[in-house]
Amino acid sequence: MKGFFYFRNTRISFRRQAGEHALYGRRITVVTSETRVRARPYNATTVEEKWQRAWEEAALHSTPDESERPKWYALTMYPYPSGDLHIGHWYAMAPSDAAARFKRMNGYNVLFPMGFDAFGLPAENAAIKHNVHPHKWTMSNIERMRVQLRSMGGMFDWDREIITCLPDYYKWNQWLFLKFLEHDIAYRANAPVWWCPNCQTVLANEQVVDGECERCHAQVTKRDLTQWFFRITNYADELLDFSTIDWPERVVSMQRNWIGRSEGARVVFKSEQDDPIEVFTTRPDTLWGATFMVLAPEHPLVEKLTTDEQRAEVEEYVSWARRQTEIQRMSTENEKTGVFIGAYAVNPVNNERVPIWIADYVLMGYGTGAIMAVPAHDQRDFEFAKQFALPIRVVIRPEGSDLHETTMIEAYPDEGVMVNSGAFDGTPTPNGEAVARVIEWLEREGIGSGEINYRFRDWLISRQRYWGSPIPIIYCDSCGAVPVPEEDLPVLLPEDAEFEPTGVSPLKTHSSFYNTTCPSCGAAATRETDTLDTFMDSSWYQYRFLNPHFEDGPVDPDKAGKWLPVDQYTGGIEHATMHLLYARFFTKAMRDIGLLNIDEPFTRLYNQGIILGEDNEKMSKSRGNVVDPDELVNELGADVVRLYLMFIAPWDQGGPWNSRGIAGIERFVRRVWVITDETADVRPGEVDAGVEAELKKSMHRAIKVVGDDLGAFEFNTMVARLMEYVNDLYQLRERGATASPVWNEALRSLALLLAPSAPHLAEEVWERLGQSFSIHQQPWPEYDPALVVENTVEMAVQINGKVRDRIDTAVDAAEDEVVKQAMASARVREAVGDKEIRKVIYVPGRILNIVVG
RNA sequence: GGGGGAAUGUCGAAACUGGCAGACGAGCAUGAUUUAGGAUCAUGUGCCGCAAGGCGUGAGGGUUCGAGUCCCUCUUCCCCCA
């Protein structure tokens, strides 16, 4: 019998009468009828606002630099201030925040800063489009995003906020550039570089994806320009060493591929006019099989070597190739195209005359822009030779079989024994033996040398844009490129620049910025108008967070010693070969010039997945599938959003948003509040010992599994464990567990377990339980291992691998005892029948399998 | 073409070193609460079958007392590099 009445405006419900009841498949006896105070509603908006204010007033999230506790530097990639914190930001930050909070509850002094990656193109595009200054646009976006970030309830230490577009920050960007220049890590060179016609700027190789601009997806083209570079390739081998960091294998292999180390030889062929043509090959053991050469259409010698008869055809081909994208050119699917230029080269190993072709599958940007073609042992060369009826010569014979030029249908790129290779005939190729011997010989003969080639190039850092750190260089007719003296930093971005969509940097037309005097000779001079790639800002921001107002250098050495390196970094995988590679390079470069004494910036890395729209597509305004976190927070509260994001799927997987699924979390949050509010004041009384034992066990188990999952970033199962615990509490309550003195402890534990993931709800529950502010300064509860292990289990009994019955048995029961118990079951006896028992497999606590036959 | 990852109910997913597949949630169904419900509570819910029982982790094979998990072949999808 249930019902309710009102007493002093509070709805009081009275419940089951004394007597026998069926509940959850058990018979229970209610001794006295109980009355129950119905929970007050939980108003997330009010509660969350209340605690956010309280945390700020208590400066709860300011991290002291001095502490008895061990340090833990947790960092999540800082956002670009686009003006809106979208659900992707929440997905990146909310679980990171939970992990950071968990670390703090586990006794660490946790630094968890936040800032804004504030330079970049959108601000400048907004300036052109809406006539707002980038600075104003960016700063008002930051204002708005701070409010949104606050609504998330993160434990960000705002005292250390950095905003990269402020002189306070970019001064040190410029300073670092000058130091790099001083130490020959930065240099200026003319090179063919990628140009994005849409962004009106050059791009680094890393920022070109499939021949498109990584930002705007416009097709990029090559241009020859004089630009500033960083010598990231000097660190290639060190960047290939991942032994001291714990990063996802995926990112490691992406960086490894990107760096693209290959060992081989550089060999000099000569044209018949005696021009040296260098090629790089990883297979110098196939040199004798080179039957032609292929140059990239852009190769500087093409112009010179082309014969008059071939010139028209060659020119036509070159201009056609220029129009192709790199992807089209590299595709193995394509039919091979190319043109003979009429000239011949001499193969230095056997003085053979080989024709020189040009073809689009050879790229100027890789290796030397020229290859020796060995059609018998390279598939692309093979296809090219077949296409144009060029000679093929086998020089590697596979072990135990034969290979004939005329019958081959594809190249043989594997190991074997060298043939048709003069003195090297008979040399086996496995284990690099042939390669090593040929290199040795090439060096002795002076026609080549062993070389290690890398796929990646030096980092191009010049950008023809306004909204970035000005490169602190002055050009003087007599002194050349002169660094701006350190004391003149920062070179300020002029605020009164004119934005015209002309493709010319506003800095070029700003005469008081552009015109200056040479710091070295005092003559009239002009400033560099390019700005630094904004990826430079994010390459070292993790160090500036430690003391963003430090005035004697980019990094405060005292704080660096205390906090570095970053213990846990989290962010999207899309930065694998950009930001994450640049940051590693910067760390090593800064170490080499004495600014840091660490080798790697981020000890542990975790990449969260992507939240898609409900239609399983990437969220975008044009698709209309964008989920607005602000709306959700207003409606359901931040804790619900946080918990739901964690619950959706494993964090590294992401997945589609589901607006119905979030209802489950809503219910869960309500259930947490209801059970606490309704039972917080229950006085201990008489309780069944078994029920109390179950309550204890459930609580200790929850402490263990929730903690284990949080520590392992398994947020989805962590939420499931919390739900199981709350479900347990509801059932135990019905069985009278609230009368136990353990009940209140169980509720307190629940609050503590919720604290990392649902910080507001946890704090409210904590207060309701009469505990003092703040739950976020409490230690993580401890569990008793003895209470977590099961003493008895329901064990499956299998006959020939099929489950026939289940028996309750002690975890550590002896085999013969368990068999006896199993044989007592009629179902087991029936399954065994009169067959002979051949074998018994018994794994204590797990399974009993009786093999009969 | 090479490398890496994935495939489990209607859906999101869980499953420790091989040991009761489907925890937790969504959805659905039935019932309760007699104003209503997109509220709450209870019960059920892999498939076939009235049942006993059988079948089930992309497909096929193998190892094993026992395979979602290990091995081989294949299919599809995603990512990276060519």
Side-chain angles (χ1 to χ4, degrees):
Chain A
M1 192 69 167
K2 286 186 203 174
F4 64 89
F5 59 91
Y6 282 92
F7 177 69
R8 288 179 188 166
N9 280 336
T10 303
R11 184 167 146 148
I12 311 281
S13 63
F14 59 91
R15 300 170 51 88
R16 298 171 196 285
Q17 286 189 330
E20 290 274 311
H21 294 270
L23 188 73
Y24 305 106
R26 299 164 196 261
R27 300 295 303 174
I28 61 156
T29 305
V30 174
V31 182
T32 56
S33 70
E34 43 173 331
T35 61
R36 178 173 293 182
V37 178
R38 197 169 185 254
R40 295 161 297 172
Y42 181 79
N43 184 329
T45 311
T46 326
V47 168
E48 292 181 355
E49 171 58 32
K50 165 177 139 192
W51 292 119
Q52 282 160 18
R53 182 168 307 151
W55 297 334
E56 274 159 28
E57 278 165 11
L60 204 64
H61 301 144
S62 307
T63 310
D65 287 306
E66 304 296 333
S67 171
E68 303 281 288
R69 297 163 158 234
K71 70 97 180 179
W72 186 264
Y73 187 178
L75 187 64
T76 188
M77 292 177 186
Y78 66 165
Y80 177 79
S82 59
D84 242 320
L85 203 67
H86 53 76
I87 204 79
H89 290 121
W90 274 73
Y91 197 57
M93 293 174 182
S96 308
D97 179 59
R101 288 176 177 279
F102 180 63
K103 271 286 168 188
R104 184 153 84 174
M105 291 178 83
N106 277 283
Y108 289 86
N109 186 34
V110 178
L111 175 60
F112 189 52
M114 187 46 68
F116 296 94
D117 186 15
F119 270 138
L121 269 179
E124 207 169 334
N125 292 339
I128 293 168
K129 210 166 159 191
H130 306 297
N131 200 27
V132 206
H133 192 277
H135 181 266
K136 200 176 155 199
W137 184 85
T138 304
M139 293 311 282
S140 73
N141 285 349
I142 288 175
E143 285 290 311
R144 183 175 150 69
M145 286 175 81
R146 281 202 197 106
V147 174
Q148 291 174 310
L149 281 163
R150 180 180 187 268
S151 80
M152 188 187 291
M155 59 171 279
F156 307 116
D157 182 351
W158 287 110
D159 299 347
R160 306 187 195 235
E161 179 190 46
I162 52 181
I163 297 175
T164 57
C165 68
L166 299 182
D168 201 18
Y169 188 86
Y170 73 70
K171 169 184 176 177
W172 297 108
N173 239 8
Q174 297 173 338
W175 187 89
L176 282 165
F177 173 87
L178 293 178
K179 284 288 158 201
F180 281 13
L181 194 60
E182 202 180 303
H183 288 82
D184 194 35
I185 298 167
Y187 67 99
R188 191 160 170 258
N190 184 277
V193 295
W194 292 113
W195 172 262
C196 173
N198 187 42
C199 298
Q200 293 281 328
T201 183
V202 299
L203 300 170
N205 287 8
E206 290 79 13
Q207 291 151 35
V208 176
V209 181
D210 292 348
E212 293 179 355
C213 169
E214 172 260 332
R215 276 203 48 77
C216 71
H217 299 286
Q219 292 230 328
V220 296
T221 53
K222 280 263 155 137
R223 281 195 180 183
D224 283 309
L225 289 169
T226 301
Q227 302 280 290
W228 291 96
F229 293 87
F230 283 161
R231 291 192 200 279
I232 191 171
T233 54
N234 276 9
Y235 289 88
D237 283 325
E238 208 192 336
L239 288 168
L240 283 167
D241 178 6
F242 298 89
S243 62
T244 59
I245 51 178
D246 182 9
W247 281 25
E249 190 49 43
R250 216 159 127 224
V251 177
V252 169
S253 80
M254 278 167 80
Q255 292 203 349
R256 224 177 247 141
N257 283 335
W258 182 260
I259 294 167
R261 183 182 202 271
S262 54
E263 290 182 25
R266 183 176 284 252
V267 184
V268 185
F269 283 57
K270 286 225 169 102
S271 74
E272 287 184 312
Q273 294 77 24
D274 225 27
D275 305 287
I277 308 173
E278 292 196 334
V279 300
F280 174 79
T281 174
T282 57
R283 291 296 302 271
D285 53 338
T286 63
L287 262 164
W288 286 262
T291 50
F292 57 101
M293 288 193 83
V294 186
L295 307 188
E298 304 88 345
H299 196 284
L301 279 174
V302 171
E303 171 75 25
K304 183 180 175 211
L305 295 178
T306 302
T307 57
D308 290 338
E309 308 88 82
Q310 295 298 105
R311 189 161 302 276
E313 206 185 334
V314 166
E315 279 172 2
E316 194 189 332
Y317 185 78
V318 169
S319 79
W320 174 82
R322 272 190 197 283
R323 291 195 302 272
Q324 303 299 301
T325 65
E326 183 144 344
I327 279 302
Q328 285 166 340
R329 291 181 53 171
M330 297 292 284
S331 170
T332 43
E333 320 287 276
N334 279 0
E335 198 165 285
K336 291 283 170 292
T337 61
V339 175
F340 175 47
I341 66 168
Y344 290 84
V346 176
N347 184 341
V349 300
N350 54 12
N351 294 318
E352 263 181 24
R353 188 168 178 258
V354 295
I356 303 174
W357 286 63
I358 56 171
D360 62 349
Y361 77 95
V362 176
L363 299 173
M364 204 52 224
Y366 183 68
T368 59
I371 62 159
M372 61 167 201
V374 184
H377 306 291
D378 179 280
Q379 185 60 22
R380 285 193 294 184
D381 295 347
F382 181 82
E383 286 166 22
F384 194 84
K386 282 284 175 198
Q387 178 83 22
F388 297 104
L390 290 159
I392 297 171
R393 183 192 304 139
V394 169
V395 289
I396 305 291
R397 180 142 293 157
E399 206 75 48
S401 82
D402 225 346
L403 204 59
H404 280 289
E405 288 84 358
T406 47
T407 54
M408 289 174 81
I409 50 160
E410 60 179 358
Y412 176 78
D414 300 323
E415 307 293 350
V417 175
M418 290 175 71
V419 292
N420 297 325
S421 301
F424 283 91
D425 282 356
T427 311
T429 67
N431 308 319
E433 193 184 332
V435 170
R437 280 165 64 177
V438 171
I439 288 174
E440 196 185 308
W441 178 80
L442 288 172
E443 287 176 352
R444 214 164 44 232
E445 297 287 312
I447 49 179
S449 57
E451 191 175 282
I452 293 160
N453 193 48
Y454 298 95
R455 206 187 72 92
F456 81 153
R457 308 279 98 187
D458 276 341
W459 176 13
L460 165 56
I461 48 147
S462 303
R463 292 294 178 277
Q464 289 71 47
R465 300 301 308 210
Y466 164 79
W467 194 233
S469 315
I471 295 177
I473 290 290
I474 291 168
Y475 297 104
C476 165
D477 283 342
S478 43
C479 309
V482 183
V484 172
E486 214 176 299
E487 58 273 19
D488 293 346
L489 295 183
V491 176
L492 287 171
L493 266 180
E495 281 176 25
D496 52 349
E498 290 290 330
F499 294 91
E500 306 279 348
T502 54
V504 175
S505 166
L507 295 178
K508 245 188 180 125
T509 54
H510 191 285
S511 67
S512 67
F513 175 87
Y514 186 59
N515 297 305
T516 185
T517 52
C518 173
S520 145
C521 71
T526 58
R527 281 190 194 279
E528 169 68 83
T529 57
D530 286 353
T531 51
L532 292 166
D533 182 0
T534 56
F535 274 108
M536 176 161 172
D537 310 354
S538 54
S539 294
W540 64 282
Y541 79 119
Q542 65 274 15
Y543 306 128
R544 190 66 183 168
F545 270 134
L546 303 179
N547 184 354
H549 309 296
F550 187 63
E551 287 181 359
D552 302 327
V555 188
D556 181 339
D558 173 51
K559 301 218 179 353
K562 289 197 171 78
W563 285 107
L564 298 182
V566 173
D567 296 283
Q568 178 69 60
Y569 196 39
T570 62
I573 187 103
E574 68 275 15
H575 292 108
T577 54
M578 290 187 273
H579 162 59
L580 290 168
L581 189 62
Y582 297 149
R584 293 183 64 217
F585 154 66
F586 247 71
T587 301
K588 295 168 197 303
M590 287 171 75
R591 173 203 61 198
D592 288 349
I593 60 183
L595 296 167
L596 295 171
N597 54 14
I598 51 169
D599 300 317
E600 291 284 348
F602 315 118
T603 306
R604 285 172 208 76
L605 174 70
Y606 191 98
N607 302 109
Q608 80 275 356
I610 297 170
I611 292 294
L612 304 169
E614 288 209 69
D615 52 2
N616 209 10
E617 299 285 339
K618 207 175 159 203
M619 281 193 200
S620 74
K621 279 188 187 133
S622 55
R623 280 205 186 86
N625 61 352
V626 176
V627 172
D628 178 10
D630 289 355
E631 253 172 54
L632 292 164
V633 170
N634 285 335
E635 209 179 312
L636 310 168
D639 287 337
V640 169
V641 179
R642 291 171 63 110
L643 286 169
Y644 182 57
L645 287 170
M646 292 185 215
F647 188 58
I648 278 184
W651 195 29
D652 58 356
Q653 187 183 307
W657 180 264
N658 182 331
S659 54
R660 281 202 292 206
I662 200 168
I665 298 289
E666 258 186 284
R667 272 172 217 152
F668 167 70
V669 164
R670 193 180 307 123
R671 278 162 66 79
V672 169
W673 175 249
V674 164
I675 200 164
T676 330
D677 196 37
E678 290 185 353
T679 67
D681 307 320
V682 173
R683 297 234 181 101
E686 220 168 291
V687 64
D688 179 83
V691 168
E692 183 167 83
E694 272 185 62
L695 175 63
K696 267 192 185 167
K697 180 168 253 176
S698 177
M699 176 180 91
H700 284 262
R701 243 195 95 67
I703 293 170
K704 174 177 162 46
V705 294
V706 171
D708 287 351
D709 285 354
L710 269 169
F713 283 22
E714 286 164 5
F715 301 102
N716 59 330
T717 50
M718 176 217 46
V719 177
R721 302 301 168 217
L722 285 168
M723 287 171 166
E724 281 177 299
Y725 181 44
V726 171
N727 292 346
D728 278 359
L729 290 178
Y730 269 83
Q731 297 203 8
L732 288 159
R733 172 202 199 182
E734 295 299 327
R735 293 161 58 206
T738 54
S740 162
V742 181
W743 183 259
N744 203 267
E745 191 193 346
L747 292 180
R748 288 200 304 275
S749 298
L750 172 61
L752 291 166
L753 300 190
L754 278 163
S757 46
H760 313 86
L761 173 67
E763 190 81 271
E764 183 73 7
V765 166
W766 192 247
E767 184 190 52
R768 177 70 185 84
L769 294 170
Q771 303 299 307
S772 57
F773 183 80
S774 159
I775 190 171
H776 300 295
Q777 291 169 312
Q778 298 300 315
W780 190 252
E782 283 180 26
Y783 64 89
D784 179 352
L787 284 174
V788 171
V789 296
E790 301 287 339
N791 308 325
T792 61
V793 283
E794 191 190 56
M795 183 180 290
V797 180
Q798 298 180 336
I799 306 300
N800 287 350
K802 285 193 195 293
V803 180
R804 294 300 170 180
D805 204 358
R806 286 159 227 252
I807 55 174
D808 284 315
T809 185
V811 179
D812 51 357
E815 179 174 318
D816 50 350
E817 219 170 287
V818 176
V819 172
K820 210 163 83 187
Q821 203 182 338
M823 295 311 288
S825 150
R827 298 183 47 169
V828 170
R829 274 204 310 274
E830 194 191 330
V832 174
D834 51 7
K835 290 186 277 274
E836 186 192 336
I837 294 180
R838 295 248 168 114
K839 198 171 175 184
V840 173
I841 289 107
Y842 172 60
V843 183
R846 296 213 186 277
I847 201 121
L848 176 68
N849 187 8
I850 300 172
V851 184
V852 299

